[in-house]
Amino acid sequence: MIKLFKVKEKQRELAENASNGIPTKKQSAGELRLHKDISELNLPKSCNITFPNGKDDLMNFEVSIRPDEGYYLGGTFFFSFTVSPIYPHEAPKVKCKTKVYHPNIDLEGNVCLNILREDWKPVLNINTVIYGLYHLFTEPNDEDPLNHDAAAVLRDNPKLFESNVRRAMAGGYVGQTFFPRCM
């Protein structure tokens, strides 16, 4: 039993010496899994990930999506990700930072994506979430909306929906709501 403590003590001492005497911060299981997920990212060229707080803060990052097809072609949309220390047992919190006319994203930036809610499973990863977000822009879904007005227009009048999306992305009003330019 005593030998086990001495081995642990020796390992800690070696780790401190390797980091110039500064004790290293123990990473949570969520941080370890997130580090693995990020190192294995395989994103489409229209998606980009950045770390505004530096690489030391992997738990908070931003993703930009620039759809290369569909209604939102030519726009750039930014999302903030906040990852819990108990990730992957809890889905990341995702907010759209770009005000967008979209049936699955409300005006406050909340995102309606099933894998971020009831269909989240620990086998899913950040890559899956980013592809899910990308898919929302190439195939908006009017059946499970957060923005009910946009969903109704998409369902009932796709040409008007396309016109509203273009107007919003160019920086204009749709109804009483102003959308800043995102093209």
Side-chain angles (χ1 to χ4, degrees), residues 122-147:
V123 297
L124 299 175
N125 59 30
I126 298 301
N127 207 61
T128 308
V129 174
I130 295 172
Y131 269 93
L133 293 171
Y134 177 80
H135 186 71
L136 284 182
F137 287 102
T138 58
E139 299 286 330
N141 177 4
D142 62 20
E143 294 176 16
D144 186 21
L146 279 181
N147 182 334

Side-chain angles (χ1 to χ4, degrees), residues 58-78:
L58 290 182
M59 305 304 269
N60 297 288
F61 56 92
E62 294 178 356
V63 170
S64 63
I65 296 176
R66 190 172 177 77
D68 49 14
E69 61 181 88
Y71 294 113
Y72 297 91
L73 173 72
T76 303
F77 306 93
F78 295 93

Side-chain angles (χ1 to χ4, degrees), residues 98-171:
T98 307
K99 192 171 185 181
V100 60
Y101 179 79
H102 195 291
N104 310 110
I105 302 171
D106 69 16
L107 299 176
E108 285 77 45
N110 298 308
V111 178
C112 182
L113 184 61
N114 63 331
I115 61 171
L116 291 175
R117 300 178 320 195
E118 71 276 359
D119 290 340
W120 176 258
K121 304 214 177 349
V123 297
L124 299 175
N125 59 30
I126 298 301
N127 207 61
T128 308
V129 174
I130 295 172
Y131 269 93
L133 293 171
Y134 177 80
H135 186 71
L136 284 182
F137 287 102
T138 58
E139 299 286 330
N141 177 4
D142 62 20
E143 294 176 16
D144 186 21
L146 279 181
N147 182 334
H148 294 279
D149 294 335
V153 174
L154 174 60
R155 182 178 49 254
D156 301 336
N157 191 342
K159 290 284 184 206
L160 178 59
F161 179 79
E162 183 175 10
S163 171
N164 287 347
V165 168
R166 289 279 145 215
R167 189 175 320 115
M169 286 177 25

Side-chain angles (χ1 to χ4, degrees), residues 7 12 19 40 45 55 94 96 110 112 132 135 138-139 148 156 164 166 177-178:
V7 169
R12 191 173 321 131
S19 63
E40 295 175 352
K45 59 184 182 288
K55 290 278 188 185
V94 178
C96 185
N110 298 308
C112 182
H135 186 71
T138 58
E139 299 286 330
H148 294 279
D156 301 336
N164 287 347
R166 289 279 145 215
T177 305
F178 178 77

